[in-house]
């Protein structure tokens, strides 16, 4: 830290920002941007000539894929990159939604391991 031009001794940060801290959303957005860059260009759905494989709003992330295999790949990368940054995915809040034009929607397994 630098205070009034003087640098202190090194201090290991043991804890993140507190609940309600004004920096929290910005720091989360910064981390999530770096995490999601790792899936840029991977398979997703085609909309208007673009490949879309994720949507984000605040701390919610929606991964989008055409099949279970591609979705599992996206999820594995996001989970691995999150762990590298000290973040964890909450399996209890993880949901899968199947959208299909077929009369009988395809079956899926719970892919979050």
């Amino acid at each position: 830290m630098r205070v009034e031009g003087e640098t202190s001794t090194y201090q290991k940060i043991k804890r993140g920002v507190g609940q309600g801290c004004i920096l929290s959303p910005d720091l989360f957005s910064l981390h999530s941007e770096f995490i999601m860059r790792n899936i840029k260009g991977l398979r997703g759905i085609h909309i208007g000539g673009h490949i879309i494989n994720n949507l984000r709003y605040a701390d919610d992330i929606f991964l989008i894929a055409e099949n279970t295999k591609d979705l599992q790949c996206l999820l594995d990368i996001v989970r691995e990159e999150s762990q590298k940054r000290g973040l964890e995915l909450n399996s209890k809040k993880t949901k899968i939604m199947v959208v299909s034009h077929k009369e009988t929607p395809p079956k899926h397994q719970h892919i979050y391991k």
Side-chain angles (χ1 to χ4, degrees):
M1 293 187 297
R2 189 177 308 167
V3 179
E4 295 181 7
E6 288 193 35
T7 303
S8 71
T9 57
Y10 175 79
Q11 300 292 318
K12 183 176 181 178
I13 297 174
K14 298 178 183 175
R15 191 166 231 193
V17 295
Q19 182 73 26
C21 175
I22 60 171
L23 286 177
S24 185
D26 291 333
L27 291 173
F28 181 80
S29 291
L30 181 65
H31 277 286
S32 66
E33 179 61 30
F34 284 111
I35 291 166
M36 300 311 281
R37 284 182 183 180
N38 290 283
I39 64 170
K40 186 176 182 177
L42 296 181
R43 299 179 80 168
I45 59 172
H46 296 270
I47 299 177
H50 299 280
I51 298 173
I52 308 293
N53 61 16
N54 74 90
L55 298 172
R56 292 175 272 165
Y57 181 76
D59 63 346
D60 292 320
I61 298 171
F62 302 89
L63 298 176
I64 305 167
E66 290 186 347
N67 57 60
T68 305
K69 181 181 173 187
D70 290 346
L71 184 58
Q72 183 67 59
C73 178
L74 294 173
L75 181 59
D76 290 344
I77 292 169
V78 169
R79 181 177 40 216
E80 182 180 317
E81 293 300 320
S82 296
Q83 288 173 345
K84 287 180 185 176
R85 289 167 175 78
L87 300 173
E88 285 185 36
L89 302 181
N90 187 337
S91 63
K92 292 178 183 171
K93 292 183 176 181
T94 302
K95 306 288 182 220
I96 297 173
M97 181 173 80
V98 176
V99 178
S100 175
H101 291 290
K102 298 177 183 177
E103 286 185 33
T104 306
K107 292 185 178 173
H108 71 281
Q109 310 148 0
H110 188 68
I111 63 172
Y112 187 81
K113 299 173 191 166

